[in-house]
Amino acid sequence: MIWVPLVLGLVAAQRLGELVLARQNTRRLKAAGAIEIGAGHYPLFVLLHGSWLVALTVFTPWTTFPNPWLVGLFVMLQLGRVWVIATLGRFWTTRIITLPGAPLVRRGPYRFVRHPNYWIASLELAVLPLAFGQIWIALVWSVANALLVRHRVRVEEGALSERN
């Protein structure tokens, strides 16, 4: 079986579906008076996640058999991602969109940790390459992601502080 294109194709399809949902939610929120904060760094996240998939596709032999334990962990992370999206519902986007006056979500995974989506995405960027033996992809993209997420969390915390 050709594992790499199968797994990465599923991940790419999932991400594209999420972008469609995020765009719909962003439009609805903006129509309701929400504003976007920190739009300037958003293209860097798109570039980071897109190049991660491209690097995995290009540098991983397509017949590489993935580590089943790490694939299982990646699937668990996907369940966490779905939990985050379901918890935020119409407020979930891939951008920092804030609706003045809306209460902060404090249920679901947000009861346990702030910014669970960033934790999940950070783990995904490491776990999937490791499942295919691509340590260098896990390391390079994890470091780049950590730098971006560090900035983004500061921007998001600033935007959310007005709603506390």
Side-chain angles (χ1 to χ4, degrees):
M1 179 170 280
I2 302 176
W3 289 101
V4 173
L6 174 67
V7 172
L8 297 183
L10 290 171
V11 172
Q14 175 194 15
R15 296 300 198 265
L16 290 173
E18 289 174 1
L19 287 175
V20 169
L21 175 62
R23 185 170 291 156
Q24 291 170 347
N25 286 344
T26 297
R27 282 189 194 127
R28 280 191 222 118
L29 287 166
K30 284 184 173 181
I35 55 171
E36 181 172 2
I37 308 293
H41 70 266
Y42 181 75
L44 296 175
F45 275 98
V46 174
L47 178 64
L48 178 88
H49 285 262
S51 65
W52 171 74
L53 283 172
V54 169
L56 280 167
T57 303
V58 170
F59 295 110
T60 307
W62 283 22
T63 56
T64 302
F65 185 78
N67 178 306
W69 294 104
L70 291 175
V71 170
L73 177 57
F74 188 79
V75 169
M76 295 296 290
L77 291 168
Q78 300 320 292
L79 296 174
R81 178 185 283 281
V82 169
W83 190 22
V84 167
I85 293 169
T87 299
L88 289 177
R90 67 184 182 98
F91 294 104
W92 183 82
T93 72
T94 54
R95 298 174 178 269
I96 302 173
I97 307 292
T98 184
L99 183 60
L104 294 178
V105 174
R106 300 200 189 277
R107 62 187 194 289
Y110 294 88
R111 288 179 298 177
F112 309 109
V113 65
R114 291 187 64 79
H115 310 290
N117 198 63
Y118 300 144
W119 286 103
I120 291 166
S122 296
L123 289 169
E124 290 171 344
L125 288 174
V127 169
L128 192 59
L130 291 174
F132 286 103
Q134 294 293 346
I135 297 168
W136 73 274
I137 292 174
L139 182 62
V140 169
W141 269 262
S142 291
V143 169
N145 183 65
L147 295 171
L148 277 175
V149 167
R150 181 174 177 227
H151 172 72
R152 185 175 178 114
V153 166
R154 277 194 242 137
V155 171
E156 190 167 322
E157 286 292 327
L160 295 176
S161 68
E162 299 170 8
R163 290 178 34 206
N164 279 335

